[in-house]
Amino acid sequence: MDMTERKDILSLLPEELEAELAALGQPRFRAGQVFQWLSRGVRSFEGMTNLSKELREELESRFFLYEPKVLSKQVSAMDGTIKYLWELSDGNAVETVVMSYKHGNTVCVSSQVGCRQGCAFCASTIGGLVRNLRASEILDEVLFSELDSGKKISNIVLMGIGEPLDNFDNVMRFLELVNHPKGMNIGMRHISLSTCGLIERFDELAARDLQLTLSVSLHAPDDETRSRIMPANHGRGVQKLIEACKTYYEKTGRRISFEYAMIDGVNDSPEQARLLAGHARAVSAHVNLIPLNHVEERQFQPSTPEHLKHFIKILEDNDVNVTVRRRLGSDVDASCGQLRRKMQKSQKGGQGPA
Ligand code: SAH
């Protein structure tokens, strides 16, 4: 399909769809009908049976529609976590994970094909950035995960492949679409956006006044360590990041959450715990410790249970609100980029990225 000539109808908000259809001489309610079909996962104009044949053909000639295909689906025998690898319209692939908790089902979506942030412990970034996802492609990760799994999605985390703030406009549009009362209607308070700390985007995000949770991947409390494992720290720095978090919190009133992957001998010392506690307190942030997922191509190992315990104790003694992320789906490669990576490797005969 040629996407350069036809518009991506699924990335349009209902009011934009109305304008497009009005230009075709269609009454307002027609846009509602089309939006409803799209929201139900219908991905062909032919299937929109309450529209006239002429209109369906007209739409087909002007707009592009595509249904993501399941390239692989793995269900964890341990906890029911589902990991999808979807094929996109241009043959690229992205991952989506569905996790079930007591309070409902959470979907973890990718925002880019690949990533250019280069974090040293992460599998998603190994082949670099291929392209941004369109709003419609991120939306379809949520919708088709729900349709295929039969699990009603109540929460979304933008913690899959990619850096959401590096695809700012499309991610903002996705949020509007998924939050729309006529669409999936998922509340902003049920959405978390995770960033490696692209602070130049924080003001713009705060200005949107969304009620989502901003998660900041801190992973190290000092510049030396952070720059070593996260290239995004170069030219920005921990102090500026903490200041940006503070401003964001003051502007939005929404508490930030710090993500911190515990890496053996790298960021898990008592001194680093104390530094982290200071940062967390300065911005009233919640700390979410993540047991590091070992990635084949990376040399890092998870912290030992003893170090983790000691680290938590220091945070708690300093009145920091801390949780440890449960490991879900560890038998289905359910962390960033591992499944896509595996597929790339098998296509290239196990040689890794070109
Ligand atoms: N680009 C966004 C989203 C990335 S993935 C960001 O940087 O926040 C979501 C989280 O998983 C991030 O905190 C990321 O640093 C973390 N992560 C990546 N690889 C990991 C690994 N091997 N083990 C544990 N956490 C990892």
Side-chain angles (χ1 to χ4, degrees):
M1 277 204 213
D2 186 1
M3 293 196 38
T4 51
E5 286 166 28
R6 291 190 284 175
K7 275 194 191 161
D8 175 16
I9 195 167
L10 193 64
S11 285
L12 298 179
L13 293 161
E15 40 282 16
E16 293 168 335
L17 194 56
E18 250 175 45
E20 291 279 348
L21 288 176
L24 297 177
Q26 293 293 326
R28 251 178 121 168
F29 72 91
R30 209 64 87 200
Q33 290 176 320
V34 175
F35 195 77
Q36 204 171 39
W37 285 117
L38 294 175
S39 302
R40 283 187 208 151
V42 171
R43 291 292 174 271
S44 80
F45 294 108
E46 217 180 298
M48 302 185 179
T49 48
N50 56 359
L51 309 183
S52 72
K53 190 163 182 294
E54 292 71 37
L55 180 59
R56 282 184 265 158
E57 284 171 2
E58 179 77 41
L59 293 174
E60 177 73 35
S61 71
R62 285 169 185 268
F63 297 104
F64 166 82
L65 267 183
Y66 172 79
E67 179 167 337
K69 294 184 186 59
V70 179
L71 275 180
S72 128
K73 176 182 180 182
Q74 298 179 15
V75 184
S76 163
M78 290 153 68
D79 52 43
T81 296
I82 307 174
K83 178 135 195 178
Y84 290 103
L85 186 69
W86 304 105
E87 184 177 37
L88 306 174
S89 56
D90 62 355
N92 275 304
V94 285
E95 293 168 39
T96 308
V97 182
V98 180
M99 296 160 286
S100 301
Y101 295 97
K102 276 191 221 99
H103 58 266
N105 300 309
T106 297
V107 67
C108 175
V109 297
S110 297
S111 56
Q112 296 179 310
V113 181
C115 182
R116 58 171 158 182
Q117 303 305 324
C119 297
F121 44 83
C122 179
S124 303
T125 198
I126 292 173
L129 176 68
V130 177
R131 69 168 174 86
N132 283 328
L133 289 182
R134 298 187 298 277
S136 57
E137 291 175 315
I138 310 175
L139 183 69
D140 270 354
E141 289 183 64
V142 183
L143 184 56
F144 282 89
S145 294
E146 177 170 291
L147 292 174
D148 185 88
S149 69
K151 293 183 180 207
K152 178 89 192 141
I153 302 296
S154 48
N155 297 277
I156 301 173
V157 295
L158 281 144
M159 294 189 182
I161 298 172
E163 165 52 46
L165 297 188
D166 190 36
N167 184 16
F168 194 86
D169 293 343
N170 290 341
V171 166
M172 292 305 120
R173 180 168 279 271
F174 155 70
L175 291 172
E176 266 191 81
L177 283 167
V178 82
N179 177 241
H180 204 285
K182 288 181 185 162
M184 292 191 82
N185 197 16
I186 296 179
M188 285 292 173
R189 284 176 183 260
H190 296 261
I191 302 179
S192 294
L193 185 154
S194 183
T195 176
C196 62
L198 303 188
I199 48 176
E200 58 280 16
R201 292 292 199 177
F202 279 26
D203 282 347
E204 218 173 333
L205 183 64
R208 301 259 169 167
D209 205 19
L210 306 172
Q211 295 295 299
L212 54 71
T213 300
L214 181 63
S215 294
V216 172
S217 299
L218 189 58
H219 300 319
D222 58 281
D223 278 322
E224 195 192 327
T225 314
R226 195 163 192 271
S227 292
R228 192 179 137 209
I229 57 176
M230 298 183 72
N233 196 58
H234 291 292
R236 296 187 179 98
V238 172
Q239 208 43 51
K240 277 194 190 147
L241 175 57
I242 301 306
E243 279 159 25
C245 289
K246 205 169 172 188
T247 309
Y248 182 89
Y249 176 47
E250 283 164 4
K251 280 188 179 168
T252 61
R254 302 283 302 160
R255 255 177 228 272
I256 284 177
S257 159
F258 284 150
E259 308 285 302
Y260 200 99
M262 296 289 292
I263 313 176
D264 186 41
V266 173
N267 64 359
D268 60 352
S269 73
E271 172 60 18
Q272 285 163 320
R274 280 185 284 273
L275 273 175
L276 171 60
H279 295 323
R281 279 220 313 269
V283 297
S284 309
H286 170 101
V287 173
N288 195 214
L289 298 177
I290 317 172
L292 182 84
N293 271 298
H294 178 69
V295 173
E296 219 174 273
E297 292 86 346
R298 308 299 209 187
Q299 76 273 33
F300 299 111
Q301 298 296 336
S303 299
T304 62
E306 295 70 41
H307 283 161
L308 177 63
K309 218 167 123 187
H310 193 46
F311 202 89
I312 295 171
K313 180 153 190 333
I314 294 173
L315 292 174
E316 284 175 342
D317 287 349
N318 283 280
D319 298 320
V320 173
N321 189 339
V322 54
T323 48
V324 180
R325 186 177 295 165
R326 250 172 77 208
R327 283 198 76 190
L328 287 177
S330 48
D331 55 336
V332 293
D333 305 309
S335 61
C336 297
Q338 295 195 25
L339 194 56
R340 175 172 169 265
R341 181 83 199 113
K342 227 178 221 177
M343 184 199 68
Q344 284 176 327
K345 281 207 295 191
S346 67
Q347 283 175 349
K348 287 173 181 157
Q351 294 306 305

